[in-house]
Amino acid sequence: MLVLEKNALSEEIESLVNQFGKERSALLQILQAIQRKHKHISDFAQQEVARMMEIHPVEVNSVVSFYSFLCTQPKGRNIVRLCQTISCDMAGKEKVEETVQRELGIKFGQTTKDKRITLEFTNCLGMCDQGPAMLVNEKVYTKLDPETAINILNEIK
Amino acid sequence: MELEKIKKKMRSGPVLFSEYKLGEGVKKALQLGRENILFELKDSGLKGRGGAGFPTATKWMLSGASLSDKKFIVCNADEGEPGTFKDRVLLLEYPELVFEGMIIGGYTIGAKEGILYLRGEYEYILKSLEDFLEMLRKDKLLGNNILGNENFSFNITIRLGSGAYVCGEETALIESLEGYRGEPRNRPPYPVNTGYLGHPTVVNNVETLASVPHIILKGGEWFKKHGTDKSTGSKLFSVSGDCDKPGVYELPWGTSIAELLKVVEAKNTKAVQVGGASGICLPKSQFNRVLGYEDAATGGSIIVFNESRNMLKVLKNFMEFFVEESCGQCTPCRIGNIKLLEAIEKIENNDFTFSYINNLKELGRTMQLASKCGLGQSSPNSFISILENFKDEIFGLNGKGKNNG
């Protein structure tokens, strides 16, 4: 990481801490904001959060590692999460899964080379009556079939 | 297909989906006063709709009686149980009921702040909820001196989760709000005494809170007319799986499973999972059982399986879910779920003995007793009920061969 980038990230975290406050209860919100923008929370970001909130970096890491929507390694610009829970599974999740993997040339858990898309599984999205369902970042898509899923993925930048 | 634009569908039901005009519940509550609100609530027999079924009036009374200058009402919108999506419908289509329930709760227990904990997966609902809160503020239903009442100010903030099923457990939810890992706490102390930041806190399910304005408006007596003696009122059932009309239905408690299956037009049904992955799986012979706290209890999740489904595969999906979602804090749940999943894999590979399976059922019963929170206490339910109710299919004891389908 370049010094300039580091400085920019520090400034950004500082403004987040100012916005949400220094209390411990603000930690998750701060981490969510970093995750939303950078698609991961780097070691450096965690250390800076810890420093500004005056807690041990391990405390920050323990929170990041607990929540499945937070991560420490960079991911693609778009995170696609396909629901793997029973109702979506019965509604045809497997076919969507196979087609999407073939189309993008990656497996679930991986990121495309151009960093455009990360594929992940997720547990119940609460769309069981309209499965199979997936989230693209925070947007939800339902009643997928292989064709519509591919069309949606091809449209995201 | 993108999620349909937020609009009120034509829904109807005895309580939650009946007619309601914005603000009426809060207005009536302020006229009634705290004592009368608690009386109506107690009279109604309303119990927690998340699944555990704790009497709501008792919860409110306990926290109301706690001496503290700061109290909180938390709405648990961390709907993560597989097959449950009623809260999504309430938050999208009936936010007034949920928020007014929180405001009435705040007034009753003496809280000035409410927090809605929205699961991360529902972030797309956030914007509409915040807009709605803004509207409530303009209408003087939220903020300082609500409806001109000088002694009552209340505000609501929305906080997002980040993809952790266990945060639906109330103490884990509080840990998460406080900025920690979502690991359940020992109880007691209960949140009604020592909750968010150590202050008395009421944590209620979305549906529980949404029932409150109707009860306040029409009375506990009216609410009791629906449902059974032990399960009063109605319930939202989220129905998915093998049926022609999946969706959210409001039906009175005491409806039998067979009746529900008729409503959703399910055909060739082999099994029904009541209560999501942490619930129980019922075979055809038990479809006469009724939905209610006294018989087949559920937070609303109903998953229908037809004759073509392989129940072992269903069970494996559930156990994979629990292995992923166990917070890992206590041993029975962390290790136990992995052992149960291993057993399913062994059954799949025909590499098991019956004494081994019986040992694991025993382990499941130990987990039900020894786990720290509801997750580990209920995760063996589906393991035990599916292996017992569908043993012919799974172990091939009826001569059809194993794992058919």
Side-chain angles (χ1 to χ4, degrees), chain A residues 46 50 55-65:
Chain A
Q46 292 178 50
I55 51 179
H56 198 283
V58 161
E59 288 284 332
V60 178
N61 186 261
S62 78
V63 172
V64 175
S65 62

Side-chain angles (χ1 to χ4, degrees), chain B residues 4-61:
Chain B
E4 287 171 49
K5 279 271 168 271
I6 301 155
K7 59 173 185 221
K8 284 228 174 183
K9 289 209 185 109
M10 287 303 290
R11 293 186 191 275
S12 65
V15 179
L16 288 160
F17 291 163
S18 64
E19 283 213 19
Y20 182 78
K21 249 176 71 193
L22 177 72
E24 278 185 323
V26 172
K27 209 181 287 172
K28 178 84 184 285
L30 294 182
Q31 285 166 10
L32 279 177
R34 294 184 172 88
E35 303 255 303
N36 290 324
I37 294 172
L38 285 173
F39 175 80
E40 291 297 342
L41 211 55
K42 190 161 191 337
D43 194 36
S44 75
L46 177 67
K47 289 182 188 172
R49 295 300 196 232
F54 190 80
T56 308
T58 312
K59 214 182 231 185
W60 285 21
M61 256 179 236

